[in-house]
Amino acid sequence: MQIELDPPYGVGPIKIGMSMDEAEAALRELGGDLSGRTRGFAHFGTDLSIHVVSDKDGLVEAIELHRSEDDFADTVLCLGIDVFGTPVADVTRLLGELTPIRVETEGASVVAPELLVALWQPFLPGHADDDDVVGEGPYFRTALVAGPGYYDRSGEHRAV
């Protein structure tokens, strides 16, 4: 599957501001398995999951995508960049050429505040020789597209 991040409007057919019922219908349209207990959470095969987050009114305020650590069966694009299949350094450089970005947590996360997009790695880069760090790898594993107001005045993102 190939899915396009469309910041700040949504991800594929899932749009910021739609109801959770509409979002779950869009997840099903994409072929997602919604059999879990968490509302708005779908698995796609073995390597990709999408979690739709709602606000206090039950409307979509953010969409988070996560891929497993080793499977590249699905492609997730943001502004034409394969954010899960391109090395972190290249994604950071390419995205930075298109929009202002903030590199945080020693490079483990990149935020494009004007797009309301954030990308994460599940570890701190540069610790490959540290046996206490699990999951060291060169790719982002999580992407988030949010709607206006998701980020507070300090620019920090809320945990999903």
Side-chain angles (χ1 to χ4, degrees):
M1 171 172 69
Q2 180 172 304
I3 193 159
E4 185 87 30
L5 305 182
D6 183 23
Y9 306 107
V11 173
I14 309 159
K15 303 301 178 194
I16 300 294
M18 68 176 17
S19 72
M20 284 298 285
D21 288 339
E22 292 169 318
E24 287 187 336
L27 288 167
R28 283 187 200 88
E29 176 186 320
L30 288 170
D33 175 9
L34 278 74
S35 62
R37 303 180 97 185
T38 303
R39 181 120 202 246
F41 187 88
H43 288 284
F44 296 83
T46 59
D47 70 323
L48 184 71
S49 61
I50 299 177
H51 182 201
V52 177
V53 180
S54 63
D55 63 15
K56 63 180 174 40
D57 297 320
L59 302 177
V60 174
E61 71 172 348
I63 305 147
E64 182 180 71
L65 295 86
H66 179 78
R67 79 160 177 87
S68 67
E69 58 186 80
D70 296 321
D71 196 337
F72 292 92
D74 297 310
T75 303
V76 176
L77 300 173
C78 181
L79 303 178
I81 303 165
D82 180 354
V83 296
F84 291 164
T86 304
V88 167
D90 294 332
V91 171
T92 302
R93 178 183 51 77
L94 293 167
L95 193 58
E97 290 172 359
L98 300 172
T99 188
I101 61 169
R102 240 183 8 251
V103 177
E104 300 177 348
T105 324
E106 297 181 46
S109 64
V110 170
V111 178
E114 291 179 9
L115 295 179
L116 299 171
V117 168
L119 305 169
W120 293 279
Q121 300 177 63
F123 54 85
L124 295 178
H127 296 275
D129 297 328
D130 185 345
D131 291 335
D132 295 328
V133 177
V134 178
E136 182 73 30
Y139 301 98
F140 285 114
R141 301 266 173 85
T142 304
L144 178 107
V145 174
Y150 188 79
Y151 292 85
D152 64 21
R153 289 188 186 126
S154 70
E156 297 297 318
H157 54 272
R158 296 184 310 206
V160 210

